[in-house]
Amino acid sequence: MARLLLHRLGGLVTTLLLSSVVIFGSLYLAPGSPENVLFGNRTPSAAARAAVRHRLHLDQPLPVRYWDWLTGVLHGDLGTSMVTGQPVADRVGSGLGTTALLVLFASLLVVVLGLGLGLLGAVRPGRLDGAVSAVSAVSVSVPPFVAATVLISVFAVRLGWLPASGRGNGLDGLVLPAVALALLSCGFLAQVTRNAVGEQLGREHVQTALARGLPRAAVLRSHVLRNALPPIVTAIGLLVAGMFASTLVVESAFALPGIGQLTIQSVAQKDFPVVQAVALLLVAAFVICNALSDLVQALIDPRLRTAGRTA
Amino acid sequence: MNPLLDLSGVTVTVPSAEGPRRLLDGIDLSLAPGEALGLVGESGSGKSMTMRAVTRLLPRGAAVSGAVRYDGAEVLAMDAGALRRYRDHEVGLVFQDPRAHINPTRRIGAFLVEALVRNRGVGKREALARAAAVLAEVGIDDPQRRLRQYPHEVSGGMLQRVMIASVLLAEPRLILADEPTTALDVTIQREVVTILDRLRRERGMGMVFITHDLDLALAVCGRVAVMYAGRIVEVRTAAGLHERAAHPYTLGLLGSRPSIDARSARLEAVPGRPIAAYEAGAGCAFAPRCLFAMEACDRTAPPLRAFDDGLVRCSRVEEIHAARTEATA
């Protein structure tokens, strides 16, 4: 188990390093240059342009800039925004709380509703299962940007129950965005859960447990659900990671001051240090979600614990 | 002596896309306390379904009629609580494939003690001590270490012993063993059967031993019931089966076994393929494959009736018997 943990940790660091190279490189190789954003419509003199490029370290070769940036990041310095001149850490930090809360909220919805509906469908075949299948089939076909539009028009504009944009009071402003974010994932998780639990219900070892006179609830808990967890955990890991990416759309739709909105703005303004930081953050969220789901699976299924040795 | 288990007219029907399908057709079977009965037949003849009917572990939507009496109590009428007590205390099931029938994600110790702890409130430590003792009884070395291992860390033969140990731990009066050795290597098969047979005798438990291996059934059981297409076609003592087998299907099974003494060039196969109960027509289910079948056999299904110290389901059994005796004389 410890070996697996180390193995995963090593993979995590490698992935982050590699993706930081890709992010850094792709931003600077893309057409357009940051100083043009600063100059706007004016055409600067060659000297002024050179001075600005020097101040932004744009006159140095790419590997050198990457190295400077990487050592800065490792020392906790994410650089300075080219647009506002604020430290990147401050800009990212102010949005991080909102985004983290939003994804947490949406994840809770996904786990509770998706898992609940899927379980219900699996253990109560017939009409209830049909209803669950129908609901989840509809919800997986509603992407977050559609859900956001519909939710805003119904609950914010027509009914006026919840704010259409901004944080609002307390969690008010997060309810609709979280639902918009969660809807597709809920349906997906319900389907995964229903199939995984349904498959386990038909397993021979479940029959053994029933043949030994164990109560149905105990059999469901310690045999069916426990063994059905690996695919469910994988799905949750992927879905939560995906929701971090979807915040780009949802936060823009609801004008939420989070990382997603910051990403869109910074890309539009070519504010490279900020884009680098948030992109790296998104990658980290992905990698961490996946690593966590792998570890949970190894905890559940002893047969997976040797993975680090054979891989 | 009152029978421990008594089945009469047990019929099981399951739903399918083409309408209800009959898998068991009026099973009559009786087992005395401490008796070992072999249930023999080809795949799909209804052996396992009979065992499932006895424990009410039937597929979803299955309809059962008839009576399954265990020690006088009607199993089919038990409520959920009574059924759980019956499954926990009275019958133990040994399945064919221990690898599939034991939860792979939990330790062997957890599997063994689960029923004791959950159903009977035995303390975990006490339960584990009992489990270790029973593992030693089924011939497993270093039981303490085995208790901590996972199913994928031990061999199939050992896992089947673990399965047997789990049944013995519950101290039932009836064991239902469904092809307990089919999934094992031939060399391991003998060990497992020997262990099962010894412990059953020592503890005076009744056993229904399901197998497609007629010789194995004859070696382990006092009495053998032969099944075909969801029906019992012949019941006879193991000692009498060789000499007195009377049903054409049983005769076919006896003729299709390889023999060590006679080096025959070919094994006699029963012609045709086995059918399921729902494929049988109004007449005798075996008639289409039977060498002795006449027109009447296709029309009316014969009952299971006494013949020559056994029970046989064949309209022409007297004639066939007479003809065979004449031929050998």
Side-chain angles (χ1 to χ4, degrees):
Chain A
M1 199 69 200
R3 191 193 286 253
L4 182 69
L5 208 68
L6 268 174
H7 187 79
R8 295 301 316 188
L9 215 61
L12 200 145
V13 172
T14 315
T15 311
L16 280 180
L17 262 177
L18 279 177
S19 52
S20 78
V21 174
V22 173
I23 292 164
F24 198 91
S26 63
L27 277 176
Y28 283 93
L29 291 177
S33 187
E35 77 267 18
N36 288 340
V37 177
L38 294 179
F39 291 123
N41 292 330
R42 293 161 292 170
T43 313
S45 67
R49 180 183 288 273
V52 169
R53 283 184 67 87
H54 179 71
R55 193 163 64 79
L56 298 175
H57 306 295
L58 293 172
D59 52 349
Q60 285 166 354
L62 197 62
V64 174
R65 287 196 315 234
Y66 175 70
W67 181 252
D68 287 346
W69 175 76
L70 188 66
T71 47
V73 168
L74 291 177
H75 288 94
D77 175 18
L78 293 170
T80 328
S81 164
M82 290 179 182
V83 177
T84 65
Q86 291 171 291
V88 172
D90 289 359
R91 295 206 68 187
V92 172
S94 70
L96 197 58
T98 304
T99 300
L101 208 58
L102 175 62
V103 172
L104 184 73
F105 200 170
S107 304
L108 278 178
L109 284 176
V110 169
V111 171
V112 171
L113 290 178
L115 210 63
L117 278 176
L119 264 177
L120 212 61
V123 300
R124 293 253 182 282
R127 210 173 294 172
L128 199 54
D129 182 33
V132 167
S133 297
V135 168
S136 55
V138 171
S139 87
V140 290
S141 58
V142 183
F145 70 91
V146 176
T149 319
V150 174
L151 288 171
I152 288 173
S153 81
V154 174
F155 292 98
V157 178
R158 203 159 306 166
L159 295 169
W161 288 352
L162 291 157
S165 68
R167 277 295 303 269
N169 305 318
L171 289 177
D172 278 4
L174 289 181
V175 175
L176 291 183
V179 173
L181 205 53
L183 198 60
L184 183 144
S185 305
C186 264
F188 189 74
L189 189 65
Q191 289 180 345
V192 170
T193 305
R194 180 181 163 277
N195 291 341
V197 171
E199 195 208 318
Q200 284 299 325
L201 275 174
R203 280 289 165 89
E204 289 92 340
H205 69 82
V206 173
Q207 204 178 69
T208 310
L210 288 173
R212 297 169 89 191
L214 294 167
R216 194 173 149 82
V219 174
L220 274 180
R221 201 173 47 244
S222 24
H223 295 284
V224 176
L225 196 54
R226 180 189 167 116
N227 287 43
L229 272 181
I232 296 174
V233 170
T234 306
I236 292 176
L238 286 173
L239 291 173
V240 171
M243 284 197 284
F244 275 103
S246 295
T247 56
L248 265 67
V249 175
V250 171
E251 287 180 6
S252 299
F254 288 92
L256 274 182
I259 300 284
Q261 206 187 28
L262 182 65
T263 313
I264 301 272
Q265 275 173 13
S266 313
V267 170
Q269 296 169 339
K270 285 204 170 282
D271 194 349
F272 287 7
V274 179
V275 177
Q276 279 156 18
V278 289
L280 207 58
L281 215 59
L282 282 179
V283 172
F286 251 93
V287 176
I288 290 171
C289 283
N290 276 330
L292 277 180
S293 85
D294 277 8
L295 286 178
V296 172
Q297 296 198 43
L299 278 178
I300 297 164
D301 193 339
R303 289 167 300 178
L304 299 175
R305 282 176 210 165
T306 46
R309 258 162 277 181
T310 50
Chain B
M1 189 154 45
N2 284 330
L4 181 66
L5 182 68
D6 185 46
L7 277 67
S8 63
V10 174
T11 298
V12 171
T13 311
V14 294
S16 82
E18 292 100 55
R21 284 185 159 175
R22 182 171 286 191
L23 296 182
L24 290 184
D25 197 351
I27 299 289
D28 298 315
L29 206 58
S30 175
L31 184 82
E35 189 193 0
L37 171 76
L39 204 53
V40 181
E42 289 165 280
S43 324
S45 59
K47 310 181 298 278
S48 299
M49 198 50 66
T50 306
M51 182 181 93
R52 281 158 156 264
V54 169
T55 48
R56 270 176 62 185
L57 281 170
L58 291 160
R60 206 183 280 282
V64 205
S65 60
V68 177
R69 270 181 295 273
Y70 176 86
D71 203 11
E74 176 52 75
V75 175
L76 298 180
M78 285 179 181
D79 62 22
L83 183 61
R84 274 183 40 213
R85 273 192 299 281
Y86 162 69
R87 287 175 177 170
D88 175 28
H89 287 262
E90 304 297 343
V91 286
L93 271 70
V94 178
F95 292 97
Q96 175 176 349
D97 183 0
R99 203 107 15 241
H101 275 280
I102 295 178
N103 189 340
T105 67
R106 311 180 73 211
R107 288 176 205 276
I108 287 171
F111 167 71
L112 284 172
V113 304
E114 187 177 19
L116 283 183
V117 172
R118 188 100 63 174
N119 288 341
R120 309 198 188 170
V122 178
K124 190 138 189 216
R125 188 169 304 193
E126 155 77 11
L128 279 171
R130 281 198 219 172
V134 175
L135 282 184
E137 258 193 278
V138 296
I140 290 182
D141 293 332
D142 199 357
Q144 291 300 340
R145 185 164 74 90
R146 302 301 180 193
L147 289 177
R148 288 191 302 273
Q149 282 183 309
Y150 285 97
H152 71 275
E153 295 170 326
V154 305
S155 70
M158 182 169 299
L159 212 53
Q160 190 58 294
R161 294 185 203 202
V162 168
M163 173 80 81
I164 292 171
S166 79
V167 166
L168 295 176
L169 265 176
E171 300 177 334
R173 281 192 290 163
L174 172 63
I175 292 183
L176 304 176
D178 187 358
E179 307 242 7
T181 60
T182 308
L184 305 177
D185 288 342
V186 182
T187 46
I188 313 288
Q189 284 185 6
R190 187 193 201 86
E191 286 175 37
V192 169
V193 169
T194 310
I195 288 166
L196 196 59
D197 190 42
R198 174 171 58 82
L199 293 169
R200 183 192 73 76
R201 284 170 199 277
E202 282 172 13
R203 299 175 180 220
M205 295 184 285
M207 173 165 79
V208 177
F209 189 87
I210 293 174
T211 178
H212 61 260
D213 184 340
L214 187 56
D215 285 310
L216 190 60
L218 293 174
V220 180
C221 306
R223 213 154 48 101
V224 171
V226 179
M227 283 190 80
Y228 186 78
R231 295 166 197 180
I232 293 192
V233 296
E234 181 154 14
V235 182
R236 208 163 275 288
T237 60
L241 194 86
H242 272 292
E243 305 301 317
R244 293 178 160 179
H247 194 281
Y249 180 61
T250 317
L251 292 169
L253 284 183
L254 284 169
S256 64
R257 300 166 310 147
S259 157
I260 296 179
D261 321 318
R263 288 178 62 98
S264 65
R266 268 181 77 100
L267 290 175
E268 289 299 321
V270 182
R273 67 167 183 94
I275 59 168
Y278 61 87
E279 294 176 289
C284 171
F286 187 63
R289 299 173 73 187
C290 182
L291 299 173
F292 308 96
M294 296 181 19
E295 229 178 282
C297 295
D298 286 325
R299 281 199 302 273
T300 42
L304 191 63
R305 58 199 169 95
F307 177 80
D308 196 13
D309 279 346
L311 298 170
V312 182
R313 190 190 287 274
C314 177
S315 313
R316 302 193 63 208
V317 60
E318 289 85 359
E319 301 165 59
I320 295 168
H321 182 70
R324 278 170 50 84
T325 326
E326 212 169 285
T328 48

